[in-house]
Amino acid sequence: MDRYCVFGNPIAHSKSPEIHAAFAAQTGQELTYEKRLAPVDGFAAAVQAFIAEGGLGANVTVPFKLEAVKLAQALTIRARAAGAVNTLHFTEDGIVGDNTDGAGLVADIVNNAGVPITGKRVLLLGAGGAARGVVLPILEHRPAQLVIANRTVATAEALVEQFAALGGEGVVSACGYGEIEGAFDIVINATSASLSAELPPVSASVFVPGSLAFDMMYGASPTVFLQFAGQHGARLRDGLGMLVEQAAEAFSLWRGVQPATADVLQSLRAKL
Ligand code: NDP
């Protein structure tokens, strides 16, 4: 049986085995996918042990996404742009590092929520690992504007410097929360504020009726950010679809088959 796994610490909460098992059943692929708790100081050894056992690929989650960049012998363009790896592919030529998080976010917004990014004004809140991973996939869809707002403005400015040339003249810009101007078609919360039930200090005026408010976090009840956005007329979307879509992208990289995601997302949602 072909073997895959997800490495993280902690890892008990991971839904990835359930998602990949559903994809395998749906596409008739014979494989196993397990959770592996790697010691905080033992990620590389855990990956090498899995390869020695015959593992063909792995997902990587907190706190190992940066270490996985160093471990990979080759990086895809999007992994290099993100500076983080969430998917490893063990090939005859060595370990290839990819990043499917950004493609997952874009697929969920464009295909599942049915909101095109092309020509739209997009506001990205946060400039940490998750935000950095989504900038390139968003720019590939040619938004009219991408504003990156962060508490620490210098981090957002560094992102703009990295990606400005790709976006086109004046498309990508950085600012602090107090300097955000106008309303946006899509507002993405890529901060970790939701983890501590905090609201990034964004003004209600960024939303207009019909704006899409997206929080990368997911859970049984809406985050404070989604509650706030909902009170100001936005359509709401949490990060569960992104999770399923990033998994689909990894599955397709490993197996060469693109799984359908709607039923898997619906069944995960029912269990939240
Ligand atoms: P990082 O620690 O790398 O970055 C955290 C970001 O949040 C920084 O921009 C930080 O700002 C900002 N921040 C933290 N607290 C606050 C606050 N109270 N108010 C305003 N800004 C704040 O985290 P990640 O980028 O790795 O993760 C961010 C989120 O994305 C997490 O909730 C994670 O679970 C989620 N995620 C979801 C995925 C999915 O598939 N659905 C995939 C990947 C991530 P500053 O720079 O000023 O400190």
mmCIF file of all heavy atoms in Angstrom, residues 61-62 65 86 101-102 104-105 125-132 134 149-153 155-156 177 189-196 198-201 214-218 238-247, ligand 1:
data_model
loop_
_atom_site.group_PDB
_atom_site.id
_atom_site.type_symbol
_atom_site.label_atom_id
_atom_site.label_comp_id
_atom_site.label_asym_id
_atom_site.label_seq_id
_atom_site.Cartn_x
_atom_site.Cartn_y
_atom_site.Cartn_z
ATOM 1 N N THR A 61 2.600 20.488 8.932
ATOM 2 C CA THR A 61 1.862 21.582 9.564
ATOM 3 C C THR A 61 2.661 22.159 10.715
ATOM 4 O O THR A 61 3.837 21.830 10.900
ATOM 5 C CB THR A 61 0.425 21.131 9.930
ATOM 6 O OG1 THR A 61 -0.309 22.269 10.364
ATOM 7 C CG2 THR A 61 0.396 20.070 11.023
ATOM 8 N N VAL A 62 2.026 23.045 11.482
ATOM 9 C CA VAL A 62 2.694 23.777 12.565
ATOM 10 C C VAL A 62 3.451 22.811 13.479
ATOM 11 O O VAL A 62 2.890 21.790 13.856
ATOM 12 C CB VAL A 62 1.624 24.541 13.390
ATOM 13 C CG1 VAL A 62 2.257 25.268 14.572
ATOM 14 C CG2 VAL A 62 0.873 25.515 12.486
ATOM 15 N N LYS A 65 6.672 24.078 9.002
ATOM 16 C CA LYS A 65 6.595 24.492 7.589
ATOM 17 C C LYS A 65 7.864 25.189 7.095
ATOM 18 O O LYS A 65 8.182 25.137 5.911
ATOM 19 C CB LYS A 65 5.378 25.401 7.368
ATOM 20 C CG LYS A 65 4.048 24.650 7.427
ATOM 21 C CD LYS A 65 2.889 25.549 7.059
ATOM 22 C CE LYS A 65 1.566 24.817 7.180
ATOM 23 N NZ LYS A 65 0.430 25.657 6.800
ATOM 24 N N ASN A 86 4.173 23.020 2.795
ATOM 25 C CA ASN A 86 3.171 22.216 3.516
ATOM 26 C C ASN A 86 3.000 20.833 2.891
ATOM 27 O O ASN A 86 2.236 20.019 3.400
ATOM 28 C CB ASN A 86 1.815 22.940 3.572
ATOM 29 C CG ASN A 86 1.036 22.795 2.279
ATOM 30 O OD1 ASN A 86 1.627 22.683 1.201
ATOM 31 N ND2 ASN A 86 -0.273 22.776 2.362
ATOM 32 N N ASP A 101 -1.214 25.693 0.221
ATOM 33 C CA ASP A 101 -2.165 26.485 1.025
ATOM 34 C C ASP A 101 -2.800 27.618 0.205
ATOM 35 O O ASP A 101 -4.007 27.840 0.264
ATOM 36 C CB ASP A 101 -1.455 27.097 2.245
ATOM 37 C CG ASP A 101 -1.251 26.082 3.361
ATOM 38 O OD1 ASP A 101 -2.029 25.115 3.452
ATOM 39 O OD2 ASP A 101 -0.296 26.261 4.147
ATOM 40 N N GLY A 102 -1.970 28.344 -0.545
ATOM 41 C CA GLY A 102 -2.477 29.492 -1.293
ATOM 42 C C GLY A 102 -3.426 29.055 -2.398
ATOM 43 O O GLY A 102 -4.485 29.651 -2.608
ATOM 44 N N GLY A 104 -5.172 26.459 -2.322
ATOM 45 C CA GLY A 104 -6.382 26.018 -1.619
ATOM 46 C C GLY A 104 -7.294 27.188 -1.304
ATOM 47 O O GLY A 104 -8.513 27.106 -1.506
ATOM 48 N N LEU A 105 -6.719 28.274 -0.844
ATOM 49 C CA LEU A 105 -7.517 29.465 -0.524
ATOM 50 C C LEU A 105 -8.202 30.000 -1.775
ATOM 51 O O LEU A 105 -9.409 30.277 -1.791
ATOM 52 C CB LEU A 105 -6.625 30.561 0.073
ATOM 53 C CG LEU A 105 -7.313 31.916 0.201
ATOM 54 C CD1 LEU A 105 -7.530 32.291 1.652
ATOM 55 C CD2 LEU A 105 -6.543 33.004 -0.498
ATOM 56 N N LEU A 125 -5.419 40.754 5.590
ATOM 57 C CA LEU A 125 -5.063 41.152 6.955
ATOM 58 C C LEU A 125 -4.035 40.171 7.491
ATOM 59 O O LEU A 125 -4.296 38.969 7.542
ATOM 60 C CB LEU A 125 -6.311 41.142 7.852
ATOM 61 C CG LEU A 125 -7.515 41.942 7.337
ATOM 62 C CD1 LEU A 125 -8.704 41.769 8.285
ATOM 63 C CD2 LEU A 125 -7.153 43.418 7.199
ATOM 64 N N GLY A 126 -2.870 40.682 7.880
ATOM 65 C CA GLY A 126 -1.800 39.823 8.395
ATOM 66 C C GLY A 126 -0.694 39.694 7.369
ATOM 67 O O GLY A 126 -0.927 39.857 6.156
ATOM 68 N N ALA A 127 0.515 39.434 7.870
ATOM 69 C CA ALA A 127 1.671 39.285 6.970
ATOM 70 C C ALA A 127 2.584 38.182 7.473
ATOM 71 O O ALA A 127 3.786 38.202 7.230
ATOM 72 C CB ALA A 127 2.406 40.618 6.854
ATOM 73 N N GLY A 128 2.022 37.215 8.196
ATOM 74 C CA GLY A 128 2.792 36.080 8.701
ATOM 75 C C GLY A 128 2.884 34.983 7.652
ATOM 76 O O GLY A 128 2.675 35.230 6.453
ATOM 77 N N GLY A 129 3.168 33.771 8.080
ATOM 78 C CA GLY A 129 3.372 32.654 7.165
ATOM 79 C C GLY A 129 2.177 32.392 6.268
ATOM 80 O O GLY A 129 2.325 32.196 5.054
ATOM 81 N N ALA A 130 0.979 32.410 6.848
ATOM 82 C CA ALA A 130 -0.224 32.091 6.064
ATOM 83 C C ALA A 130 -0.466 33.161 5.004
ATOM 84 O O ALA A 130 -0.788 32.851 3.853
ATOM 85 C CB ALA A 130 -1.426 31.971 6.986
ATOM 86 N N ALA A 131 -0.275 34.433 5.369
ATOM 87 C CA ALA A 131 -0.476 35.526 4.417
ATOM 88 C C ALA A 131 0.537 35.437 3.275
ATOM 89 O O ALA A 131 0.179 35.551 2.100
ATOM 90 C CB ALA A 131 -0.348 36.869 5.134
ATOM 91 N N ARG A 132 1.804 35.199 3.622
ATOM 92 C CA ARG A 132 2.856 35.154 2.596
ATOM 93 C C ARG A 132 2.563 34.069 1.557
ATOM 94 O O ARG A 132 2.822 34.234 0.372
ATOM 95 C CB ARG A 132 4.203 34.906 3.271
ATOM 96 C CG ARG A 132 5.370 35.118 2.368
ATOM 97 C CD ARG A 132 6.662 35.152 3.136
ATOM 98 N NE ARG A 132 6.793 33.966 3.976
ATOM 99 C CZ ARG A 132 7.714 33.811 4.922
ATOM 100 N NH1 ARG A 132 8.562 34.775 5.182
ATOM 101 N NH2 ARG A 132 7.778 32.703 5.625
ATOM 102 N N VAL A 134 -0.284 33.099 0.421
ATOM 103 C CA VAL A 134 -1.434 33.311 -0.476
ATOM 104 C C VAL A 134 -1.224 34.464 -1.459
ATOM 105 O O VAL A 134 -2.005 34.617 -2.386
ATOM 106 C CB VAL A 134 -2.753 33.518 0.315
ATOM 107 C CG1 VAL A 134 -3.015 32.325 1.230
ATOM 108 C CG2 VAL A 134 -2.762 34.809 1.099
ATOM 109 N N ALA A 149 -2.499 44.633 5.017
ATOM 110 C CA ALA A 149 -2.466 45.423 6.255
ATOM 111 C C ALA A 149 -1.944 44.549 7.380
ATOM 112 O O ALA A 149 -2.379 43.399 7.521
ATOM 113 C CB ALA A 149 -3.867 45.929 6.596
ATOM 114 N N ASN A 150 -1.031 45.099 8.149
ATOM 115 C CA ASN A 150 -0.495 44.327 9.284
ATOM 116 C C ASN A 150 -0.214 45.248 10.447
ATOM 117 O O ASN A 150 0.056 46.441 10.265
ATOM 118 C CB ASN A 150 0.788 43.585 8.862
ATOM 119 C CG ASN A 150 1.119 42.464 9.826
ATOM 120 O OD1 ASN A 150 0.220 41.765 10.302
ATOM 121 N ND2 ASN A 150 2.387 42.280 10.138
ATOM 122 N N ARG A 151 -0.309 44.672 11.666
ATOM 123 C CA ARG A 151 0.014 45.396 12.899
ATOM 124 C C ARG A 151 1.453 45.914 12.802
ATOM 125 O O ARG A 151 1.728 47.083 13.025
ATOM 126 C CB ARG A 151 -0.140 44.379 14.042
ATOM 127 C CG ARG A 151 -0.404 44.912 15.378
ATOM 128 C CD ARG A 151 -0.778 43.777 16.307
ATOM 129 N NE ARG A 151 0.154 42.647 16.260
ATOM 130 C CZ ARG A 151 0.052 41.565 17.020
ATOM 131 N NH1 ARG A 151 -0.928 41.453 17.877
ATOM 132 N NH2 ARG A 151 0.916 40.582 16.924
ATOM 133 N N THR A 152 2.373 45.027 12.428
ATOM 134 C CA THR A 152 3.761 45.433 12.210
ATOM 135 C C THR A 152 3.896 45.776 10.724
ATOM 136 O O THR A 152 4.009 44.882 9.880
ATOM 137 C CB THR A 152 4.717 44.274 12.582
ATOM 138 O OG1 THR A 152 4.328 43.769 13.862
ATOM 139 C CG2 THR A 152 6.162 44.718 12.608
ATOM 140 N N VAL A 153 3.839 47.073 10.403
ATOM 141 C CA VAL A 153 3.740 47.477 8.990
ATOM 142 C C VAL A 153 4.962 47.035 8.187
ATOM 143 O O VAL A 153 4.839 46.663 7.015
ATOM 144 C CB VAL A 153 3.535 49.016 8.884
ATOM 145 C CG1 VAL A 153 3.385 49.442 7.441
ATOM 146 C CG2 VAL A 153 2.306 49.434 9.678
ATOM 147 N N THR A 155 6.587 44.349 8.182
ATOM 148 C CA THR A 155 6.469 42.984 7.655
ATOM 149 C C THR A 155 5.601 42.981 6.395
ATOM 150 O O THR A 155 5.884 42.276 5.424
ATOM 151 C CB THR A 155 5.842 42.042 8.717
ATOM 152 O OG1 THR A 155 6.326 42.405 9.997
ATOM 153 C CG2 THR A 155 6.152 40.607 8.438
ATOM 154 N N ALA A 156 4.552 43.779 6.408
ATOM 155 C CA ALA A 156 3.695 43.892 5.215
ATOM 156 C C ALA A 156 4.466 44.556 4.075
ATOM 157 O O ALA A 156 4.347 44.158 2.909
ATOM 158 C CB ALA A 156 2.435 44.680 5.555
ATOM 159 N N TYR A 177 -3.327 49.157 10.046
ATOM 160 C CA TYR A 177 -4.794 49.044 10.084
ATOM 161 C C TYR A 177 -5.480 50.408 9.999
ATOM 162 O O TYR A 177 -6.557 50.531 9.419
ATOM 163 C CB TYR A 177 -5.236 48.300 11.340
ATOM 164 C CG TYR A 177 -5.014 46.813 11.225
ATOM 165 C CD1 TYR A 177 -3.878 46.217 11.753
ATOM 166 C CD2 TYR A 177 -5.930 46.016 10.557
ATOM 167 C CE1 TYR A 177 -3.657 44.852 11.617
ATOM 168 C CE2 TYR A 177 -5.723 44.659 10.422
ATOM 169 C CZ TYR A 177 -4.595 44.079 10.953
ATOM 170 O OH TYR A 177 -4.379 42.739 10.807
ATOM 171 N N ASN A 189 -8.869 37.322 6.420
ATOM 172 C CA ASN A 189 -8.185 37.399 7.715
ATOM 173 C C ASN A 189 -7.146 36.288 7.785
ATOM 174 O O ASN A 189 -7.470 35.119 8.001
ATOM 175 C CB ASN A 189 -9.186 37.266 8.861
ATOM 176 C CG ASN A 189 -8.502 37.420 10.212
ATOM 177 O OD1 ASN A 189 -7.347 37.860 10.289
ATOM 178 N ND2 ASN A 189 -9.205 37.074 11.273
ATOM 179 N N ALA A 190 -5.880 36.657 7.578
ATOM 180 C CA ALA A 190 -4.777 35.685 7.662
ATOM 181 C C ALA A 190 -3.955 35.948 8.915
ATOM 182 O O ALA A 190 -2.802 35.545 8.992
ATOM 183 C CB ALA A 190 -3.901 35.778 6.415
ATOM 184 N N THR A 191 -4.554 36.659 9.892
ATOM 185 C CA THR A 191 -3.856 36.837 11.170
ATOM 186 C C THR A 191 -4.166 35.626 12.050
ATOM 187 O O THR A 191 -5.083 34.861 11.777
ATOM 188 C CB THR A 191 -4.329 38.104 11.919
ATOM 189 O OG1 THR A 191 -5.640 37.869 12.454
ATOM 190 C CG2 THR A 191 -4.344 39.318 11.022
ATOM 191 N N SER A 192 -3.401 35.506 13.142
ATOM 192 C CA SER A 192 -3.710 34.435 14.093
ATOM 193 C C SER A 192 -4.571 34.975 15.231
ATOM 194 O O SER A 192 -4.755 34.303 16.238
ATOM 195 C CB SER A 192 -2.413 33.826 14.626
ATOM 196 O OG SER A 192 -1.551 34.843 15.079
ATOM 197 N N ALA A 193 -5.137 36.197 15.061
ATOM 198 C CA ALA A 193 -5.945 36.809 16.126
ATOM 199 C C ALA A 193 -7.142 35.938 16.504
ATOM 200 O O ALA A 193 -7.504 35.848 17.675
ATOM 201 C CB ALA A 193 -6.421 38.192 15.683
ATOM 202 N N SER A 194 -7.734 35.261 15.517
ATOM 203 C CA SER A 194 -8.926 34.450 15.798
ATOM 204 C C SER A 194 -8.633 33.334 16.791
ATOM 205 O O SER A 194 -9.527 32.895 17.518
ATOM 206 C CB SER A 194 -9.475 33.838 14.503
ATOM 207 O OG SER A 194 -9.812 34.850 13.593
ATOM 208 N N LEU A 195 -7.386 32.865 16.819
ATOM 209 C CA LEU A 195 -7.015 31.779 17.733
ATOM 210 C C LEU A 195 -7.254 32.195 19.184
ATOM 211 O O LEU A 195 -7.572 31.369 20.026
ATOM 212 C CB LEU A 195 -5.531 31.405 17.555
ATOM 213 C CG LEU A 195 -5.155 30.681 16.265
ATOM 214 C CD1 LEU A 195 -3.640 30.584 16.127
ATOM 215 C CD2 LEU A 195 -5.763 29.288 16.259
ATOM 216 N N SER A 196 -7.078 33.506 19.462
ATOM 217 C CA SER A 196 -7.304 33.993 20.829
ATOM 218 C C SER A 196 -8.575 34.837 20.897
ATOM 219 O O SER A 196 -8.704 35.718 21.750
ATOM 220 C CB SER A 196 -6.088 34.768 21.314
ATOM 221 O OG SER A 196 -5.657 35.662 20.319
ATOM 222 N N GLU A 198 -9.639 37.239 19.204
ATOM 223 C CA GLU A 198 -9.459 38.686 19.046
ATOM 224 C C GLU A 198 -9.826 39.103 17.634
ATOM 225 O O GLU A 198 -9.756 38.300 16.698
ATOM 226 C CB GLU A 198 -8.003 39.066 19.315
ATOM 227 C CG GLU A 198 -7.631 39.036 20.785
ATOM 228 C CD GLU A 198 -6.159 39.337 20.981
ATOM 229 O OE1 GLU A 198 -5.714 40.422 20.565
ATOM 230 O OE2 GLU A 198 -5.461 38.472 21.522
ATOM 231 N N LEU A 199 -10.172 40.373 17.519
ATOM 232 C CA LEU A 199 -10.534 40.939 16.216
ATOM 233 C C LEU A 199 -9.364 41.790 15.739
ATOM 234 O O LEU A 199 -8.924 42.676 16.469
ATOM 235 C CB LEU A 199 -11.778 41.824 16.421
ATOM 236 C CG LEU A 199 -12.430 42.454 15.206
ATOM 237 C CD1 LEU A 199 -13.020 41.392 14.296
ATOM 238 C CD2 LEU A 199 -13.514 43.424 15.670
ATOM 239 N N PRO A 200 -8.827 41.564 14.521
ATOM 240 C CA PRO A 200 -7.824 42.508 14.033
ATOM 241 C C PRO A 200 -8.475 43.892 13.962
ATOM 242 O O PRO A 200 -9.662 43.989 13.625
ATOM 243 C CB PRO A 200 -7.458 41.981 12.643
ATOM 244 C CG PRO A 200 -8.262 40.768 12.409
ATOM 245 C CD PRO A 200 -9.187 40.534 13.557
ATOM 246 N N PRO A 201 -7.757 44.968 14.290
ATOM 247 C CA PRO A 201 -8.384 46.290 14.423
ATOM 248 C C PRO A 201 -8.766 46.923 13.086
ATOM 249 O O PRO A 201 -8.280 47.984 12.706
ATOM 250 C CB PRO A 201 -7.321 47.109 15.152
ATOM 251 C CG PRO A 201 -6.040 46.429 14.842
ATOM 252 C CD PRO A 201 -6.325 44.984 14.613
ATOM 253 N N PHE A 214 -13.415 36.398 4.579
ATOM 254 C CA PHE A 214 -12.856 35.040 4.651
ATOM 255 C C PHE A 214 -11.929 34.968 5.862
ATOM 256 O O PHE A 214 -11.038 35.795 6.030
ATOM 257 C CB PHE A 214 -12.057 34.768 3.372
ATOM 258 C CG PHE A 214 -11.581 33.350 3.236
ATOM 259 C CD1 PHE A 214 -12.216 32.469 2.371
ATOM 260 C CD2 PHE A 214 -10.500 32.884 3.980
ATOM 261 C CE1 PHE A 214 -11.776 31.147 2.254
ATOM 262 C CE2 PHE A 214 -10.065 31.575 3.871
ATOM 263 C CZ PHE A 214 -10.704 30.705 3.005
ATOM 264 N N ASP A 215 -12.148 33.990 6.729
ATOM 265 C CA ASP A 215 -11.228 33.774 7.856
ATOM 266 C C ASP A 215 -10.534 32.438 7.638
ATOM 267 O O ASP A 215 -11.209 31.423 7.401
ATOM 268 C CB ASP A 215 -12.001 33.756 9.187
ATOM 269 C CG ASP A 215 -11.076 34.013 10.374
ATOM 270 O OD1 ASP A 215 -9.941 33.479 10.375
ATOM 271 O OD2 ASP A 215 -11.471 34.742 11.290
ATOM 272 N N MET A 216 -9.204 32.429 7.715
ATOM 273 C CA MET A 216 -8.479 31.168 7.489
ATOM 274 C C MET A 216 -8.740 30.162 8.604
ATOM 275 O O MET A 216 -8.486 28.982 8.438
ATOM 276 C CB MET A 216 -6.985 31.434 7.390
ATOM 277 C CG MET A 216 -6.596 32.119 6.109
ATOM 278 S SD MET A 216 -4.842 31.938 5.846
ATOM 279 C CE MET A 216 -4.627 32.982 4.425
ATOM 280 N N MET A 217 -9.215 30.641 9.744
ATOM 281 C CA MET A 217 -9.511 29.720 10.826
ATOM 282 C C MET A 217 -10.906 29.112 10.631
ATOM 283 O O MET A 217 -11.738 29.689 9.934
ATOM 284 C CB MET A 217 -9.455 30.455 12.163
ATOM 285 C CG MET A 217 -9.050 29.537 13.284
ATOM 286 S SD MET A 217 -8.814 30.445 14.767
ATOM 287 C CE MET A 217 -10.087 29.687 15.754
ATOM 288 N N TYR A 218 -11.132 27.954 11.239
ATOM 289 C CA TYR A 218 -12.458 27.345 11.164
ATOM 290 C C TYR A 218 -12.784 26.725 12.510
ATOM 291 O O TYR A 218 -11.901 26.496 13.331
ATOM 292 C CB TYR A 218 -12.509 26.287 10.050
ATOM 293 C CG TYR A 218 -11.412 25.254 10.161
ATOM 294 C CD1 TYR A 218 -11.547 24.155 11.001
ATOM 295 C CD2 TYR A 218 -10.219 25.407 9.454
ATOM 296 C CE1 TYR A 218 -10.522 23.217 11.121
ATOM 297 C CE2 TYR A 218 -9.200 24.485 9.575
ATOM 298 C CZ TYR A 218 -9.351 23.393 10.409
ATOM 299 O OH TYR A 218 -8.347 22.471 10.537
ATOM 300 N N ASP A 238 -15.396 30.500 6.253
ATOM 301 C CA ASP A 238 -14.283 30.158 7.146
ATOM 302 C C ASP A 238 -13.245 29.329 6.402
ATOM 303 O O ASP A 238 -13.350 29.110 5.195
ATOM 304 C CB ASP A 238 -14.793 29.458 8.428
ATOM 305 C CG ASP A 238 -15.276 28.044 8.172
ATOM 306 O OD1 ASP A 238 -15.095 27.529 7.040
ATOM 307 O OD2 ASP A 238 -15.824 27.441 9.107
ATOM 308 N N GLY A 239 -12.201 28.852 7.124
ATOM 309 C CA GLY A 239 -11.058 28.212 6.467
ATOM 310 C C GLY A 239 -11.196 26.723 6.214
ATOM 311 O O GLY A 239 -10.227 26.088 5.765
ATOM 312 N N LEU A 240 -12.386 26.152 6.469
ATOM 313 C CA LEU A 240 -12.516 24.707 6.284
ATOM 314 C C LEU A 240 -12.397 24.309 4.804
ATOM 315 O O LEU A 240 -11.775 23.295 4.470
ATOM 316 C CB LEU A 240 -13.859 24.218 6.870
ATOM 317 C CG LEU A 240 -13.959 22.718 7.109
ATOM 318 C CD1 LEU A 240 -12.947 22.248 8.147
ATOM 319 C CD2 LEU A 240 -15.374 22.328 7.569
ATOM 320 N N GLY A 241 -12.976 25.119 3.931
ATOM 321 C CA GLY A 241 -12.874 24.837 2.497
ATOM 322 C C GLY A 241 -11.438 24.947 2.009
ATOM 323 O O GLY A 241 -10.978 24.147 1.178
ATOM 324 N N MET A 242 -10.704 25.913 2.550
ATOM 325 C CA MET A 242 -9.276 26.069 2.204
ATOM 326 C C MET A 242 -8.508 24.824 2.616
ATOM 327 O O MET A 242 -7.649 24.335 1.872
ATOM 328 C CB MET A 242 -8.726 27.309 2.915
ATOM 329 C CG MET A 242 -7.243 27.509 2.775
ATOM 330 S SD MET A 242 -6.716 28.997 3.676
ATOM 331 C CE MET A 242 -4.946 28.913 3.436
ATOM 332 N N LEU A 243 -8.840 24.293 3.801
ATOM 333 C CA LEU A 243 -8.167 23.086 4.293
ATOM 334 C C LEU A 243 -8.396 21.916 3.329
ATOM 335 O O LEU A 243 -7.463 21.199 2.958
ATOM 336 C CB LEU A 243 -8.701 22.737 5.690
ATOM 337 C CG LEU A 243 -8.120 21.477 6.310
ATOM 338 C CD1 LEU A 243 -6.716 21.739 6.822
ATOM 339 C CD2 LEU A 243 -9.004 20.971 7.445
ATOM 340 N N VAL A 244 -9.644 21.749 2.906
ATOM 341 C CA VAL A 244 -9.974 20.644 2.003
ATOM 342 C C VAL A 244 -9.323 20.856 0.635
ATOM 343 O O VAL A 244 -8.775 19.918 0.035
ATOM 344 C CB VAL A 244 -11.516 20.493 1.865
ATOM 345 C CG1 VAL A 244 -11.877 19.449 0.821
ATOM 346 C CG2 VAL A 244 -12.133 20.131 3.214
ATOM 347 N N GLU A 245 -9.324 22.103 0.162
ATOM 348 C CA GLU A 245 -8.758 22.387 -1.163
ATOM 349 C C GLU A 245 -7.234 22.244 -1.185
ATOM 350 O O GLU A 245 -6.674 21.773 -2.172
ATOM 351 C CB GLU A 245 -9.168 23.788 -1.636
ATOM 352 C CG GLU A 245 -10.661 23.947 -1.920
ATOM 353 C CD GLU A 245 -11.174 23.062 -3.049
ATOM 354 O OE1 GLU A 245 -10.368 22.610 -3.882
ATOM 355 O OE2 GLU A 245 -12.402 22.821 -3.081
ATOM 356 N N GLN A 246 -6.558 22.639 -0.081
ATOM 357 C CA GLN A 246 -5.094 22.460 -0.078
ATOM 358 C C GLN A 246 -4.763 20.968 -0.073
ATOM 359 O O GLN A 246 -3.773 20.538 -0.657
ATOM 360 C CB GLN A 246 -4.398 23.235 1.049
ATOM 361 C CG GLN A 246 -4.696 22.832 2.501
ATOM 362 C CD GLN A 246 -4.036 21.536 2.961
ATOM 363 O OE1 GLN A 246 -2.977 21.177 2.465
ATOM 364 N NE2 GLN A 246 -4.677 20.834 3.888
ATOM 365 N N ALA A 247 -5.624 20.178 0.582
ATOM 366 C CA ALA A 247 -5.422 18.722 0.603
ATOM 367 C C ALA A 247 -5.638 18.137 -0.797
ATOM 368 O O ALA A 247 -4.883 17.262 -1.236
ATOM 369 C CB ALA A 247 -6.367 18.075 1.613
HETATM 370 P P1 NDP B 1 2.040 33.775 12.050
HETATM 371 O O1 NDP B 1 2.358 33.650 13.501
HETATM 372 O O2 NDP B 1 3.106 33.533 11.041
HETATM 373 O O3 NDP B 1 1.486 35.267 11.768
HETATM 374 C C1 NDP B 1 0.533 35.823 12.584
HETATM 375 C C2 NDP B 1 -0.037 37.094 11.942
HETATM 376 O O4 NDP B 1 -1.165 37.515 12.726
HETATM 377 C C3 NDP B 1 0.933 38.272 11.913
HETATM 378 O O5 NDP B 1 0.677 39.023 10.765
HETATM 379 C C4 NDP B 1 0.554 39.036 13.187
HETATM 380 O O6 NDP B 1 0.879 40.399 13.136
HETATM 381 C C5 NDP B 1 -0.938 38.858 13.179
HETATM 382 N N1 NDP B 1 -1.600 38.989 14.495
HETATM 383 C C6 NDP B 1 -1.513 38.162 15.552
HETATM 384 N N2 NDP B 1 -2.328 38.552 16.556
HETATM 385 C C7 NDP B 1 -2.937 39.685 16.113
HETATM 386 C C8 NDP B 1 -3.898 40.584 16.688
HETATM 387 N N3 NDP B 1 -4.389 40.382 17.912
HETATM 388 N N4 NDP B 1 -4.319 41.627 15.940
HETATM 389 C C9 NDP B 1 -3.835 41.826 14.694
HETATM 390 N N5 NDP B 1 -2.928 41.020 14.093
HETATM 391 C C10 NDP B 1 -2.486 39.953 14.801
HETATM 392 O O7 NDP B 1 0.771 32.825 11.842
HETATM 393 P P2 NDP B 1 0.332 32.096 10.470
HETATM 394 O O8 NDP B 1 0.419 33.109 9.395
HETATM 395 O O9 NDP B 1 1.059 30.831 10.307
HETATM 396 O O10 NDP B 1 -1.196 31.668 10.740
HETATM 397 C C11 NDP B 1 -2.277 32.602 10.723
HETATM 398 C C12 NDP B 1 -3.627 31.866 10.761
HETATM 399 O O11 NDP B 1 -3.895 31.140 9.572
HETATM 400 C C13 NDP B 1 -3.748 30.837 11.894
HETATM 401 O O12 NDP B 1 -4.991 31.064 12.539
HETATM 402 C C14 NDP B 1 -3.748 29.486 11.180
HETATM 403 O O13 NDP B 1 -4.476 28.522 11.906
HETATM 404 C C15 NDP B 1 -4.421 29.855 9.867
HETATM 405 N N6 NDP B 1 -4.117 28.904 8.729
HETATM 406 C C16 NDP B 1 -5.169 28.223 8.158
HETATM 407 C C17 NDP B 1 -4.965 27.331 7.081
HETATM 408 C C18 NDP B 1 -6.153 26.578 6.481
HETATM 409 O O14 NDP B 1 -5.949 25.620 5.700
HETATM 410 N N7 NDP B 1 -7.389 26.963 6.749
HETATM 411 C C19 NDP B 1 -3.610 27.106 6.530
HETATM 412 C C20 NDP B 1 -2.581 27.908 7.176
HETATM 413 C C21 NDP B 1 -2.848 28.752 8.241
HETATM 414 P P3 NDP B 1 2.353 40.935 13.533
HETATM 415 O O15 NDP B 1 3.227 40.657 12.350
HETATM 416 O O16 NDP B 1 2.156 42.375 13.788
HETATM 417 O O17 NDP B 1 2.752 40.161 14.768
#
